[in-house]
Every structure is written in structure tokens, then in C-alpha cells.
């Protein structure tokens, strides 16, 4: 049994850091790098790519809404399909340029925050993201929230995909993530997060906040780099996975 461990990184901006990217890169097998819209900038991107390359960790673009003030976690309504395609392609291209300069390569794309939340429920948004990825590079892997509308969009556009679950987020009965505004949406206790993740991977089921078991495909599990105590959570999780004979290794793709 094998699982990829992914983490969202490069989410500082200018002189303001966010999380401990260097420590997380010692643990993660793939990382998703902010591309300047919800967080990040050229210097932060370059630093994160350099660290990932030095550690042999694959990198992905983490495009979000243009919302630095709200960290990309506020919905932006009224965007057309073309506008969504353009903002996703723009951000992928920015990271590709930085990666090329650093001698590394972008391998996947994972939508961020409110953009991802919208795409999980709205076919137009999901298809616009998938369309942008295919237009930029059809070999880029689409990292999708398991059981969401992103999966159907990836299939429709023929993209290689990996299905993601979250170790540090609560799920609703419909398989969606509990909104961050609600109590219990973000999980902070390292031991309980690790125990929960091990059970998820072993059973192929996510247990919702009300106790409902939901079957999901799981290729990669995410720890948010901006969560307080993220490094400690990731370390405890890695130990728990290995103690339960679950290998941590880069994801394999599936059409």
C-alpha cells in the first residue's frame, strides 16, 4: 500500500513568510506552489522551486483566484469560462518559467482555495480549469478532490489525474470539505490526524463530520503548509503511515 504526501507551499509574499517550506519538503513527496494570485511572488516561487529540486520533490502549480488580501479563500463570482481558463493558464505559465530557470519541471496542477471549492460544485468552473491545463500541456497531471466534479472534468478533457484526500480537513456527508468558517473544519491534533489518515487509506473511506462513511479513491493525501503545527502534523503522519506498512512515494497517474 502506497500513498503520495502533498503539501501546499510557497505561500509567503515578499517579506512575509508562511509556514516552514524547507521542513515540509523533507517530508512531502509532491508540493503545490502558489503562483502569485492568492499568495507567492517570483522570488518566493524561485526559492521554493530550488528547495524542491534539491530534495528531488516534484512540483505543481497551485492556481487560485486573484485575491492576495483573502489568501484566495473568498469566492469571486461572475467570472466567465474564458476568464477562468486565462487565470489558470497564466499561473501555470508563471511557475513553468520559474521552474525552467531553476532547471526543474512542473508536473501537475492543483486548484487552490475558493477556486477549487467552486469547481468541486460547478461544472463550468471545473471544465474551465481542465481546459486550461490541457491547452497549456495535456501531460500535466490534474490533482482533483476525490468524488468532486473536478474528476468528471478531468475525464472529459483526457487529463491524467490523481485523486486527493485531506488529512487535516473535515468532510461533509456529501463528500465536500466542511467550510473553514464552520467549527471543526480544520484539524490540528497531530495524533488524531495521523490516526484518521491511516484509517482512511486502509479502508478507502472518509468518515464525514457526522460519522458517515464515504468511499473515495485515494492517490495522494494533503497536509496544508499554512496550518499551525503543519510540520509536526506531517512528521507524526509519516511515522504512523510507515508504522502501518503504508509506503510514502510519489503519485502514479490514472486516466
Amino acid at each position: 500500500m502506497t500513498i503520495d504526501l502533498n503539501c501546499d507551499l510557497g505561500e509567503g509574499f515578499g517579506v512575509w513568510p508562511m509556514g516552514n517550506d524547507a521542513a515540509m519538503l523533507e517530508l512531502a513527496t509532491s508540493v503545490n506552489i502558489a503562483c502569485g494570485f492568492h499568495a507567492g511572488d517570483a522570488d518566493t516561487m524561485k526559492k521554493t522551486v530550488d528547495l524542491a529540486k534539491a530534495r528531488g520533490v516534484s512540483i505543481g502549480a497551485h492556481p487560485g483566484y486573484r485575491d492576495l488580501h483573502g489568501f484566495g479563500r473568498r469566492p469571486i463570482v461572475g467570472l466567465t469560462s474564458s476568464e477562468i481558463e486565462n487565470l489558470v493558464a497564466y499561473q501555470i505559465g508563471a511557475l513553468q518559467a520559474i521552474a525552467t530557470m531553476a532547471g526543474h519541471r512542473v508536473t501537475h496542477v492543483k486548484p487552490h482555495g475558493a477556486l477549487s471549492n467552486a469547481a468541486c460544485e460547478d461544472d463550468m468552473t471545473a471544465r474551465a480549469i481542465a481546459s486550461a491545463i490541457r491547452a497549456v500541456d495535456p501531460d500535466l497531471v490534474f490533482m482533483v478532490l476525490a468524488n468532486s466534479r473536478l474528476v468528471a472534468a478531468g475525464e472529459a478533457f483526457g487529463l491524467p489525474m490523481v485523486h486527493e484526500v485531506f488529512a487535516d480537513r473535515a468532510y461533509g456527508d456529501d463528500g465536500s470539505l466542511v467550510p473553514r468558517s464552520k467549527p471543526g473544519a480544520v484539524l490540528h491534533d497531530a495524533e488524531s490526524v495521523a490516526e484518521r489518515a491511516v484509517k482512511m487509506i486502509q479502508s478507502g473511506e472518509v468518515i464525514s463530520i457526522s460519522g458517515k462513511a464515504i468511499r473515495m479513491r485515494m492517490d495522494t493525501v494533503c497536509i496544508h503548509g499554512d496550518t499551525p503545527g503543519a510540520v509536526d502534523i506531517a512528521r507524526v503522519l509519516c511515522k504512523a503511515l510507515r508504522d502501518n506498512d503504508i509506503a510514502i512515494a510519489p503519485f502514479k497517474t490514472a486516466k
Side-chain angles (χ1 to χ4, degrees):
M1 190 172 288
T2 303
I3 195 74
D4 173 66
L5 177 60
N6 83 80
C7 186
D8 306 335
L9 299 183
E11 293 184 318
F13 184 77
V15 299
W16 290 276
M18 175 71 79
N20 188 339
D21 289 1
M24 291 300 292
L25 276 160
E26 296 288 350
L27 301 165
T29 44
S30 64
V31 296
N32 322 298
I33 299 175
C35 303
F37 272 28
H38 78 274
D41 53 59
D43 294 331
T44 303
M45 291 162 68
K46 178 62 162 53
K47 180 180 178 180
T48 310
V49 171
D50 285 341
L51 287 170
K53 182 189 176 187
R55 289 161 175 76
V57 178
S58 65
I59 61 171
H62 199 31
Y65 287 133
R66 187 188 289 274
D67 179 27
L68 280 174
H69 187 70
F71 201 66
R73 287 179 176 157
R74 301 182 298 185
I76 296 179
V77 299
L79 293 180
T80 66
S81 177
S82 176
E83 287 172 326
I84 295 168
E85 288 182 41
N86 292 341
L87 73 86
V88 171
Y90 183 101
Q91 292 175 80
I92 297 171
L95 185 63
Q96 285 179 324
I98 294 290
T100 299
M101 186 169 64
H104 206 13
R105 182 174 74 89
V106 176
T107 61
H108 65 278
V109 178
K110 172 185 168 179
H112 166 80
L115 176 62
S116 178
N117 292 341
C120 286
E121 299 179 356
D122 177 65
D123 287 325
M124 184 275 284
T125 303
R127 290 176 66 89
I129 294 170
S131 176
I133 295 170
R134 187 177 69 175
V136 171
D137 182 352
D139 292 327
L140 285 170
V141 176
F142 194 12
M143 189 174 287
V144 296
L145 182 69
N147 290 21
S148 73
R149 298 193 181 187
L150 288 167
V151 178
E155 291 172 345
F157 284 86
L159 295 172
M161 288 187 289
V162 291
H163 299 238
E164 178 186 41
V165 293
F166 288 84
D168 57 1
R169 292 293 308 277
Y171 282 82
D173 287 347
D174 61 354
S176 65
L177 297 176
V178 174
R180 285 177 175 267
S181 58
K182 294 188 176 181
V186 182
L187 311 178
H188 297 281
D189 182 76
E191 295 290 345
S192 62
V193 167
E195 180 182 0
R196 176 176 182 262
V198 167
K199 289 179 179 177
M200 285 164 48
I201 296 162
Q202 289 176 331
S203 67
E205 294 179 337
V206 166
I207 305 302
S208 77
I209 201 165
S210 73
K212 179 182 177 181
I214 307 166
R215 292 290 300 176
M216 288 188 179
R217 174 171 178 152
M218 304 178 191
D219 302 310
T220 183
V221 61
C222 177
I223 294 289
H224 285 91
D226 67 299
T227 300
V231 174
D232 289 337
I233 293 172
R235 285 177 178 150
V236 172
L237 173 58
C238 287
K239 183 178 185 303
L241 292 172
R242 294 186 176 110
D243 286 348
N244 285 274
D245 297 321
I246 301 172
I248 305 168
F251 57 73
K252 295 181 180 179
T253 61
K255 281 283 190 177

